[in-house]
Amino acid sequence: MEVFNTHVGGVASAHNDARTQFEAFQNQRQSVSHLLQAQGHGMEVAYHTRLTATLDVTRFLLKQGLSFRGHDESLNSSNKGNFLELIEWYTQRNDEVAKTMNENAPGNNQMKSPTVQKDLTRACAAEVTNVILNDIKDNIFSLMNDIDELFAKHKLSLSRLRGQGYDGASNMRGEYNGLKALILKENSSARYVHCFAHQLQLVVVAVAKSNQIVSDFFQYVTMIVNITGASCKRKDKFRQLEHDRLVECLEKGDIVSVLENVHDDGTNDNNSGIATSLIDKMESYEFVFVMHLMKSLLEITNKLSLALQQKDQNIVLAVSLIKTMKVRLQKLRDEGWENFLDVVNKFCSNHMIPVPNMEENMRTRGCSRRNGQMITNFHHYRVEIFCQVLDMMVQEMSNRFSESSTEVLTCIACLDPKDSFSQFDIGKLLHLAELYLEDFSLTDRVILEDQLETYIQNVRVTTASVERVFSAMKIIKIDLRNRM
């Protein structure tokens, strides 16, 4: 008994605390199920209704890729953010939800709190991750996020990684110490492919920054946009002239009218002086020359840019457009000077802008009159602007869309079933197998050519049979319609 008494101890002993917990567990009135029953079945239904409405809104926002929070979520705000606005919209159209949301139960407002929003998002993210992992299993996969714990958390093997895709930051795609390079050291089959749409954007940005004259042009354009939109009066004046596109206003000369309005508006002497300088700059031959050059380049890149931003991306079309764009840029550089110069001169003549004699001399940019070296206008516009910008554009395109970065996609594109596998190329697919030696043994590569020959013949025969069936169905349908 002495030993037992020592074990029992005092009031706050471990034994007495465990006994108290056990007695509470035995008392059904203290159990979780009893407390829920005490709340009543109606409260459970109301909670379930609120939760369902909240989950419906959460799923919609995640599916559309929309933000949850708003800038101002106060009661008096006219726009509380997507989550709260959709909850309110949902409530107004569902009487049952409206009833439960408007009850003064403590948990009602918490369902709409930022904490609950984050919890719901994390829960959805966990479910999506589980679906992806179940789909991957032991198959090969690609990595698009810089998450070091990803492999350890989900028990993924780096040896199964076959692709990487990050942004253009040096710490991600650096050739020596970037994440891309570090992963390639561990697994040479994890080939890196940068987002093509972002690559194209970087090409244009690099060109705009590399040439000082073009860089200055964009700075002036920014100033023009800022000063014309600095007041409601000038903004309305600008919209009256042309509200579709700023480029069209520049072409028509209408933007000069807005700047003239700024100059005549005596409310701000600083703006008046700036407007005068901008008018002088815009009515200079160099400004018009660069404007037309950049307009031509952006027109060439526009189709490729739109194609690369489509959700249902066509690899064959994307690679083809990249090659076409390189050819067009080179052709403009080699053969387009005379025609381009005629367009610029015609524009200047129509807007009474003086056209310089290309054979006359001018001082080099950034030098004083005393030390300045003389060059011809032809050299300045043809070599220092036209050729230099186009050469930089071609060079950037070649660097960022090199054969090595597109070869994997080009090879994969051979499996496109469009037009009865018209792009099918056994040579490229054999080369693709050589890029992934971890997946294709020497024996696999030896017999692969024969397998591909059998595959394409079989697929094309099957495809042709299906097409003949549909063709026959169409004939029967037309015949029946004619008889009717």
Side-chain angles (χ1 to χ4, degrees), residues 133-141 155-157 159-160:
L133 291 173
N134 290 333
D135 186 49
I136 292 176
K137 294 182 180 178
D138 194 38
N139 296 321
I140 57 177
F141 61 94
K155 299 179 180 179
L156 296 171
S157 173
S159 63
R160 305 300 294 168

Side-chain angles (χ1 to χ4, degrees), residues 61-178:
L61 292 176
L62 291 174
K63 185 176 181 181
Q64 301 299 324
L66 299 174
S67 60
F68 279 60
R69 304 295 302 279
H71 177 69
D72 182 6
E73 296 183 349
S74 63
L75 293 176
N76 298 326
S77 174
S78 60
N79 186 356
K80 301 180 180 66
N82 293 326
F83 184 84
L84 295 180
E85 291 292 337
L86 279 173
I87 288 289
E88 184 175 345
W89 178 88
Y90 197 109
T91 303
Q92 292 173 353
R93 284 157 178 79
N94 191 309
D95 295 336
E96 186 178 357
V97 176
K99 181 181 178 181
T100 60
M101 286 292 187
N102 293 330
E103 291 175 352
N104 294 322
N108 290 6
N109 290 332
Q110 292 181 2
M111 271 296 177
K112 300 185 288 186
S113 69
T115 302
V116 172
Q117 293 180 37
K118 292 178 181 178
D119 286 343
L120 291 173
T121 306
R122 292 192 191 101
C124 292
E127 290 299 314
V128 171
T129 302
N130 288 334
V131 171
I132 294 173
L133 291 173
N134 290 333
D135 186 49
I136 292 176
K137 294 182 180 178
D138 194 38
N139 296 321
I140 57 177
F141 61 94
S142 295
L143 178 67
M144 294 187 68
N145 296 320
D146 179 17
I147 304 176
D148 295 333
E149 297 85 5
L150 181 69
F151 289 90
K153 179 179 178 181
H154 300 297
K155 299 179 180 179
L156 296 171
S157 173
L158 182 62
S159 63
R160 305 300 294 168
L161 184 63
R162 291 297 178 272
Q164 307 178 64
Y166 317 112
D167 59 23
S170 59
N171 63 327
M172 303 299 288
R173 62 181 294 270
E175 293 296 330
Y176 301 103
N177 296 317

Side-chain angles (χ1 to χ4, degrees), residues 361-396:
N361 290 333
M362 61 174 290
R363 283 184 301 276
T364 55
R365 184 184 175 88
C367 297
S368 65
R369 292 178 180 272
R370 182 179 60 185
N371 300 323
Q373 180 182 354
M374 302 300 290
I375 59 173
T376 62
N377 287 319
F378 176 84
H379 179 85
H380 174 66
Y381 289 104
R382 173 66 195 268
V383 178
E384 294 184 343
I385 302 179
F386 186 81
C387 290
Q388 188 180 116
V389 170
L390 285 170
D391 286 343
M392 177 60 68
M393 192 81 169
V394 172
Q395 184 63 44
E396 285 292 321

Side-chain angles (χ1 to χ4, degrees), residues 322-332:
I322 290 172
K323 293 180 179 178
T324 301
M325 181 177 163
K326 291 180 180 179
V327 172
R328 289 189 63 188
L329 289 172
Q330 192 63 48
K331 185 176 181 180
L332 176 62

Side-chain angles (χ1 to χ4, degrees), residues 7-26:
H7 169 74
V8 171
V11 177
S13 68
H15 170 83
N16 284 318
D17 181 61
R19 180 179 57 80
T20 303
Q21 296 288 345
F22 175 70
E23 291 174 351
F25 178 76
Q26 282 186 314

Side-chain angles (χ1 to χ4, degrees), residues 203-216:
V203 168
V204 178
V205 171
V207 171
K209 290 182 177 180
S210 63
N211 186 285
Q212 188 60 48
I213 299 173
V214 175
S215 178
D216 291 347

Side-chain angles (χ1 to χ4, degrees), residues 146-339:
D146 179 17
I147 304 176
D148 295 333
E149 297 85 5
L150 181 69
F151 289 90
K153 179 179 178 181
H154 300 297
K155 299 179 180 179
L156 296 171
S157 173
L158 182 62
S159 63
R160 305 300 294 168
L161 184 63
R162 291 297 178 272
Q164 307 178 64
Y166 317 112
D167 59 23
S170 59
N171 63 327
M172 303 299 288
R173 62 181 294 270
E175 293 296 330
Y176 301 103
N177 296 317
L179 178 63
K180 175 196 77 171
L182 296 177
I183 290 180
L184 283 174
K185 289 179 182 178
E186 299 292 330
N187 181 2
S188 60
S189 297
R191 294 186 170 271
Y192 174 81
V193 178
H194 194 165
C195 170
F196 277 16
H198 189 211
Q199 288 276 55
L200 182 61
Q201 180 186 11
L202 294 177
V203 168
V204 178
V205 171
V207 171
K209 290 182 177 180
S210 63
N211 186 285
Q212 188 60 48
I213 299 173
V214 175
S215 178
D216 291 347
F217 166 80
F218 280 109
Q219 290 184 15
Y220 281 117
V221 170
T222 302
M223 294 172 64
I224 292 167
V225 173
N226 290 339
I227 198 169
T228 53
S231 72
C232 295
K233 179 180 177 181
R234 291 195 291 273
K235 198 177 294 183
D236 291 341
K237 176 71 174 178
F238 176 70
R239 286 170 179 162
Q240 290 173 6
L241 292 170
E242 180 59 67
H243 64 275
D244 291 335
R245 299 193 322 176
L246 177 61
V247 174
E248 291 181 4
C249 291
L250 289 169
E251 289 177 344
K252 296 178 180 180
D254 291 343
I255 191 70
V256 176
S257 301
V258 183
L259 294 175
E260 289 173 349
N261 178 261
V262 176
H263 178 269
D264 296 337
D265 183 6
T267 56
N268 191 318
D269 293 336
N270 291 332
N271 282 349
S272 178
I274 294 173
T276 302
S277 300
L278 290 178
I279 292 173
D280 292 340
K281 187 65 182 178
M282 289 181 63
E283 293 186 333
S284 68
Y285 185 84
E286 183 176 89
F287 186 92
V288 174
F289 185 93
V290 177
M291 179 186 72
H292 277 83
L293 179 58
M294 295 312 300
K295 179 174 176 290
S296 299
L297 293 181
L298 293 176
E299 284 176 347
I300 293 175
T301 60
N302 183 57
K303 187 174 182 180
L304 176 59
S305 177
L306 294 176
L308 294 178
Q309 295 178 56
Q310 292 178 0
K311 291 184 179 180
D312 52 340
Q313 183 56 263
N314 186 318
I315 299 176
V316 179
L317 177 61
V319 174
S320 176
L321 287 174
I322 290 172
K323 293 180 179 178
T324 301
M325 181 177 163
K326 291 180 180 179
V327 172
R328 289 189 63 188
L329 289 172
Q330 192 63 48
K331 185 176 181 180
L332 176 62
R333 194 254 190 230
D334 297 336
E335 305 173 10
W337 166 252
E338 296 293 339
N339 183 61

Side-chain angles (χ1 to χ4, degrees), residues 426 448-460:
I426 292 180
L448 182 59
E449 183 173 1
D450 182 65
Q451 290 178 333
L452 289 173
E453 285 281 5
T454 304
Y455 167 79
I456 190 59
Q457 294 298 329
N458 187 33
V459 169
R460 282 175 175 165

